[in-house]
Amino acid sequence: MDPQPLELQRLNALLSEKLRKLEQAEAALRESQERYTLAVQGSQDGIWDWNVLTNEVYYSPRCKAILGYQDHELDTQFSVFESRLHPADRDRILAALTAHLEQGVPYAVEYRLRAKGGDYRWIYARGQAIWDAQGQPTRMAGSISDITERKQVEEALRASEARWQFALEGAGEGVWDWNLQTQEVFFSHQWKAMLGYGDPEIGPHRWEWEKRIHPADREQCHAALNRHLQGESALYQNEHRVRCKDGSYKWILNRGQVVERDDQGRPLRMIGTHTDITERHEAEEALRQVNEQLESKVRERTRALEERAQDLERSNAELEQFAYVASHDLQEPLRTISSFTELLALEYRDRLGSEANEYIEFIVDGAARMQQLIKDLLTYSQVGRRGKAFQSISCTTVLQSVLESLSLAIAEGEAQVSYDPLPVVQADPSQLYQLFQNLIGNALKFRGQPPPQIHIGVQRYPSEWQFYVRDNGIGISPEYFDQIFVIFQRLHRRQTYEGTGIGLAICRKIVQRHGGRIWVDSTPDQGACFYFTLPVDPSVYTPQPAS
C-alpha cells in the first residue's frame, strides 16, 4: 500500500476536525455577542468603551438616550465627555479616572453630566481599564446609570430632615431614639446642647439619661415609662428635672412613643423629644408662691371681715333692740305730755296771754313731731326684726293699693302718675307696699312749680328686676346721693318740707333685706329717678326668717 494516501487522509481528518471546532467557536462567539447585545439593549444602564490611545469613546444607544440624544448625535471624542461634566464635579471625576488608570483604584463614582436640553442628570458610573505588557492603559470600558430621581428624593429627604431639625431646635426640643434590644440611644445635638454638652461628650446609651435624672423624680419617671412600655398609656409624657453639665438642673417635658414591637407585643424601639420647660416651671412656682401669699392674705382678711361682720351684726341687733325699746318706751310719756298739754290749752287758753298760748302750741307741735319721729324709728327698727316671710306677690297689685291710699295727695297736687306692667316677685308684701309708698310720697312732696309727673317702670336683667320711680321735682345734687339714705339725714328745713329724715333709710333697709340695691340719679331742678333691684329667681337670695 502506498503510504502517501494514508498520510493525506490523516491530514484531511485533522483539518476537518479543526474546521468543525472553528465553526463551533464562531457559533459560540456569535451567540455570546448576541447575548451581550440583548443584555445591553435590555439594560437600563448605558455602556461606554474608551480607547485611551486614540481618545475615542463608544457610547451605546442607551448611554446616549440617558442624555437625550439620538444614536447618531453624540460626538465620540473623550473631550466632549469632559466638557459635559458639571463644573463642581469635573476635577473630582478626572482625578478618579487618573487614579484608576495609574494606580488601579476602583472606579465607581457619582457626578452630574449635562444633557442635550442643557439640564444636568445625575450619573452613577463604573469602569475597568485594560493595561498592556508595559503596564500602560490601552482601553477602559464601563457603564452609567441615571440616578437623577434617586438624588432628587435624597435631596428632598435631606431638606425635610434639615427643616425638621431646625424646627425642633427652634422650638427648644431635643430628639432621642432608643433601641430597647441593645439599650443604645441616639441623642440629637439639641438634646445634648440643652444640657450644656457637646456631641462627643454624651455616649449613645440609656444610662446617659438615667444618671442625670433628679433623684426625687426618678421613681415617677420610671413608673410613667413602664406604664407606656406595657401598653397602659398611648403616649409617654412626664415632667422631671435633668442635671446639666454645670451641675444645675433643668425642668424637661419628656414625651415619647413606642414605634416598633415584636410579634409578642414587646417594645423594640421608642422615639421621643425633650423640651426645656424650666422658665415655665419657674413662672408656675413664682405664681404658686404669689397665690399662696394672696390666699393667706385673703384668709386673714376674710377672718377679719367675718369678725367685723359679726361685730356689726351684734351691734345692729343691739341698736335695733335699743331703737325698738326706746321708741316703744318713749311713746307713753309723750302721749301723757300731749294729752295734758291739750287739756291745758282747752282749760286755760282764754285766761293766759298770747305768749303763753304760743308756748302751748310749741309744746303740742313738738310732741306731735316727736311722736312721728318715734313712730318712724319704730318702723325702721322693725324692718329686720318683724318682717314677714316672703311670698309671690304682684308688684302691680301692691302699687295700685299704694296709689289708692295716696289718692287724696295725688288729687290735691294735681299729679299725674303712670306705670308699666310690673312683675310678680318674692317679697314681704307689707314692706314692698311701704317701699313704693315712701318713694312715691317723696315724689309728691319734693315737687317743683309744675304739677308732679311720676312714672313707675321696670327692666328685666338676667338675675334681677330693676325698678325705677321717676319724677319732675326739685331734684338732688350729686354730692348728696349717698347721704339721703342715711337715717335722720335731711337736706331741707322742716318748715319747707315736712318729714323726719328716716323714709329713704327705711327704703334702703327694705331693699337690702330683699337682696337688692337702691340708688338715685338726679339733676337739681330737673327731677330725680330712684332705682332699686329685686332678684328674679327666689333661689338667688334667701330672706331672713321673720322674727
Side-chain angles (χ1 to χ4, degrees):
M1 178 180 287
D2 187 359
Q4 186 175 359
L6 291 174
E7 185 65 26
L8 182 61
Q9 289 177 2
R10 281 198 303 273
L11 289 174
N12 287 333
L14 290 172
L15 181 60
S16 297
E17 181 64 23
K18 288 183 178 181
L19 287 174
R20 186 181 65 78
K21 290 181 178 180
L22 179 61
E23 289 175 354
Q24 290 176 344
E26 289 178 346
L29 178 61
R30 283 195 300 272
E31 184 178 356
S32 176
Q33 289 177 336
E34 289 175 358
R35 283 198 297 269
Y36 173 75
T37 301
L38 289 173
V40 169
Q41 292 176 349
S43 172
Q44 293 298 314
D45 291 350
I47 305 300
W48 53 272
D49 189 345
W50 174 29
N51 187 325
V52 180
L53 300 178
T54 64
N55 260 340
E56 288 184 323
V57 183
Y58 162 76
Y59 297 106
S60 71
R62 175 58 187 164
C63 195
K64 299 175 183 177
I66 288 175
L67 300 178
Y69 289 95
Q70 298 295 325
D71 193 23
H72 61 280
E73 291 183 309
L74 192 60
D75 196 292
T76 59
Q77 287 297 311
F78 179 80
S79 59
V80 174
F81 161 76
E82 190 176 349
S83 67
R84 291 182 178 277
L85 285 169
H86 193 284
D89 300 335
R90 182 177 292 114
D91 292 344
R92 175 173 60 84
I93 299 307
L94 294 179
L97 279 171
T98 301
H100 177 69
L101 294 174
E102 294 181 355
Q103 304 172 24
V105 176
Y107 180 75
V109 292
E110 293 180 358
Y111 55 85
R112 286 160 289 183
L113 201 60
R114 190 175 71 250
K116 181 178 179 180
D119 59 317
Y120 282 89
R121 307 295 294 178
W122 272 99
I123 302 298
Y124 173 62
R126 290 170 295 181
Q128 178 62 50
I130 299 175
W131 292 268
D132 60 16
Q134 288 73 36
Q136 295 299 317
T138 60
R139 185 179 173 190
M140 184 173 177
S143 65
I144 63 171
S145 303
D146 187 350
I147 59 170
T148 304
E149 290 186 2
R150 193 199 79 193
K151 281 288 185 179
Q152 290 172 344
V153 171
E154 289 176 354
E155 180 60 28
L157 287 174
R158 279 194 297 270
S160 176
E161 183 177 358
R163 287 193 294 269
W164 179 65
Q165 288 290 349
F166 181 78
L168 286 175
E169 292 185 10
E173 293 192 354
V175 179
W176 51 268
D177 189 337
W178 176 22
N179 185 326
L180 279 80
Q181 292 178 299
T182 65
Q183 295 302 315
E184 289 182 323
V185 183
F186 162 77
F187 298 107
S188 71
H189 169 77
Q190 179 63 17
W191 192 99
K192 301 172 186 177
M194 192 183 300
L195 304 180
Y197 291 96
D199 279 333
E201 295 182 282
I202 293 183
H205 197 277
R206 175 183 173 180
W207 174 245
E208 298 289 353
W209 168 69
E210 289 263 6
K211 68 183 181 182
R212 290 178 172 83
I213 301 174
H214 193 286
D217 300 337
R218 189 165 292 130
E219 184 176 349
Q220 57 98 359
C221 270
H222 291 163
L225 180 59
N226 289 333
R227 283 195 298 271
H228 177 66
L229 293 177
Q230 294 168 10
E232 297 177 9
S233 62
L235 180 70
Y236 165 66
Q237 181 165 313
N238 186 48
E239 295 182 4
H240 59 83
R241 287 160 289 183
V242 176
R243 189 178 69 253
C244 300
K245 183 177 180 179
D246 61 6
S248 64
Y249 280 90
K250 281 188 175 183
W251 275 99
I252 299 295
L253 172 60
N254 196 0
R255 290 173 292 187
Q257 190 170 26
V258 172
V259 296
E260 186 178 352
R261 293 180 182 269
D262 62 16
D263 295 340
Q264 285 72 42
R266 290 180 297 233
L268 301 177
R269 185 182 176 201
M270 186 173 176
I271 297 176
T273 61
H274 266 199
T275 305
D276 184 352
I277 57 171
T278 305
E279 291 185 2
R280 193 201 79 189
H281 250 274
E282 290 175 348
E284 289 175 350
E285 178 61 22
L287 181 61
R288 185 188 62 79
Q289 294 178 1
V290 170
N291 286 337
E292 286 182 354
Q293 294 174 357
L294 288 175
E295 288 175 1
S296 177
K297 291 181 179 180
V298 168
R299 285 193 296 269
E300 293 175 1
R301 184 66 179 272
T302 301
R303 282 196 301 269
L305 290 175
E306 288 175 350
E307 292 173 358
R308 184 177 179 184
Q310 292 173 357
D311 292 340
L312 288 174
E313 187 176 351
R314 286 193 298 268
S315 177
N316 287 337
E318 292 170 356
L319 287 174
E320 288 182 0
Q321 180 66 22
F322 172 78
Y324 175 77
V325 172
S327 59
H328 185 273
D329 292 348
L330 285 174
Q331 287 188 88
E332 185 59 31
L334 276 176
R335 280 195 294 267
T336 302
I337 293 172
S338 181
S339 298
F340 278 98
T341 302
E342 290 176 359
L343 289 174
L344 183 63
L346 289 173
E347 185 70 24
Y348 298 101
R349 185 178 297 277
D350 296 335
R351 302 180 191 181
L352 300 175
S354 60
E355 187 173 1
N357 290 332
E358 185 177 0
Y359 291 160
I360 291 173
E361 289 179 1
F362 285 158
I363 294 172
V364 172
D365 182 61
R369 289 201 308 273
M370 181 61 76
Q371 283 182 319
Q372 184 60 47
L373 182 62
I374 292 173
K375 181 180 178 182
D376 289 346
L377 184 60
L378 185 61
T379 301
Y380 180 82
S381 68
Q382 290 176 339
V383 170
R385 288 173 48 83
R386 296 182 177 272
K388 297 179 181 178
F390 288 7
Q391 63 185 61
S392 295
I393 186 169
S394 168
C395 292
T396 300
T397 301
V398 173
L399 178 60
Q400 290 171 346
S401 298
V402 170
L403 295 180
E404 185 177 349
S405 68
L406 295 174
S407 59
L408 182 59
I410 292 172
E412 289 177 350
E414 300 180 349
Q416 294 181 359
V417 182
S418 59
Y419 56 89
D420 297 335
L422 303 182
V424 173
V425 298
Q426 289 283 323
D428 180 333
S430 61
Q431 291 185 351
L432 190 60
Y433 178 95
Q434 191 172 16
L435 176 61
F436 279 117
Q437 185 183 52
N438 285 358
L439 293 177
I440 297 172
N442 280 351
L444 293 170
K445 182 194 301 184
F446 298 101
R447 55 175 294 180
Q449 290 298 324
Q453 293 185 353
I454 305 168
H455 183 76
I456 299 93
V458 68
Q459 187 171 356
R460 168 69 184 269
Y461 288 95
S463 61
E464 64 184 11
W465 296 103
Q466 180 176 294
F467 296 83
Y468 63 89
V469 178
R470 185 174 60 236
D471 64 54
N472 63 338
I474 61 175
I476 306 168
S477 296
E479 61 265 29
Y480 300 121
F481 284 176
D482 294 330
Q483 181 179 335
I484 60 175
F485 294 102
V486 179
I487 190 170
F488 299 136
Q489 293 295 317
R490 294 177 53 87
L491 303 183
H492 308 281
R493 298 180 58 188
R494 188 174 291 105
Q495 291 81 354
T496 307
Y497 295 101
E498 296 181 352
T500 59
I502 298 179
L504 287 177
I506 292 174
C507 289
R508 184 177 69 170
K509 200 166 186 181
I510 290 173
V511 171
Q512 288 177 342
R513 180 176 179 248
H514 286 72
R517 299 167 291 121
I518 186 169
W519 69 97
V520 65
D521 186 18
S522 176
T523 302
D525 301 322
Q526 295 185 26
C529 188
F530 283 83
Y531 297 90
F532 67 90
T533 63
L534 296 176
V536 168
D537 187 344
S539 65
V540 172
Y541 178 76
T542 303
Q544 295 295 325
S547 58

